[in-house]
Amino acid sequence: MDDRFLLIRQLMVDEQLRPRGIKQLNVLEAMLEVPRHAFVPKDELEWAYKDAPLPIGCGQTISQPYIVALMTELLQIESCDRVLEVGTGSGYQAAILGQLADKVHTVEIIPELYQRAKEALNGLGYKNIHIHLSDGSLGWVDGAPYDGILVAACAPSVPACLFDQLADGGKLVIPVGSKGYQQLEVWERQNEQLFRTINIAVSFVPLRGKFGWR
Ligand code: SAH
């Protein structure tokens, strides 16, 4: 792999992630390994590792590295896990999940982004990431149940079908709130009960589709 960016990725981990409390080793390793620059548009290349979200076209963004790491850490992924991501966007978050989990399903609703993410992920040789062009507010039934579900777009409330697709002991991380401001919610399913904790305030692009914003 082209490692011109390795040093800059190390700086991203040491200056953006560790000081903010990201400490799971598998998450830090994945953030060090995955070439984020392979997922950003060419004219954004020099900003690929910036401490900020970046535009990826179609009015969408690739999340800030810290937010990607935080959401991944909150899922507490193990190597045997099956994971669903709603909102593939650039494919970067899916690649991080693919480094950690056994199998990842990721769903994107915009055809152009789906196509680009597919090319980026194939180009890097990921075999355990399955990308689908579909409405992810319905989840992805064929791969369920999931040990982890990560929603990368903000919802007015949690789509009930995502709870249905969560395995016992599984975790769901999702930004919930208004279009401009949300709380990052973490849900855990234990013996048919759902427990919620609230993490930090965030600002994500809106979830579209049947159970998103109209
Ligand atoms: N995880 C992405 C960033 C996601 S931005 C990354 O690493 O780059 C949010 C994405 O969610 C956008 O690409 C948007 O098109 C997509 N999205 C919004 N509503 C959706 C829906 N109902 N189903 C699938 N994808 C959706």
Side-chain angles (χ1 to χ4, degrees), residues 60-61 85 87-90 93 107-110 113 135-136 152 208:
Q60 307 302 317
T61 53
E85 180 194 26
T88 315
S90 67
Q93 173 77 74
V107 185
E108 173 58 50
I109 203 167
I110 299 180
L113 294 179
D135 176 6
R208 296 157 54 177

Side-chain angles (χ1 to χ4, degrees), residues 48-207:
Y49 295 91
K50 198 179 163 192
D51 190 11
L54 293 177
I56 53 170
C58 307
Q60 307 302 317
T61 53
I62 175 174
S63 304
Q64 179 189 13
Y66 168 61
I67 297 294
V68 172
L70 175 67
M71 291 175 85
T72 309
E73 186 165 85
L74 289 168
L75 287 178
Q76 297 188 318
I77 297 171
E78 293 180 10
S79 55
C80 55
D81 282 357
R82 298 156 71 98
V83 176
L84 170 68
E85 180 194 26
V86 177
T88 315
S90 67
Y92 175 65
Q93 173 77 74
I96 297 287
L97 297 171
Q99 295 276 127
L100 302 178
D102 181 43
K103 194 178 260 193
V104 177
H105 287 275
T106 179
V107 185
E108 173 58 50
I109 203 167
I110 299 180
E112 191 181 325
L113 294 179
Y114 159 80
Q115 197 52 44
R116 284 207 323 246
K118 193 169 163 174
E119 280 161 23
L121 290 166
N122 284 345
L124 290 168
Y126 285 98
K127 300 270 184 284
N128 62 338
I129 304 175
H130 306 275
I131 174 164
H132 311 283
L133 178 63
S134 183
D135 176 6
S137 77
L138 302 164
W140 185 257
V141 178
D142 289 354
Y146 299 101
D147 305 294
I149 300 180
L150 187 158
V151 183
C154 73
S157 59
V158 183
C161 50
L162 297 185
F163 287 137
D164 296 340
Q165 293 173 34
L166 199 58
D168 194 34
K171 288 197 166 67
L172 162 67
V173 178
I174 179 169
V176 178
S178 65
K179 276 192 187 166
Y181 176 88
Q182 308 99 35
Q183 309 269 17
L184 195 55
E185 296 190 354
V186 184
W187 292 81
E188 183 166 2
R189 182 183 198 129
Q190 278 176 14
N191 304 323
E192 298 311 308
Q193 281 190 297
L194 290 160
F195 298 91
R196 183 184 70 161
T197 49
I198 302 224
N199 202 268
I200 60 168
V202 285
S203 182
F204 274 79
V205 295
L207 180 72

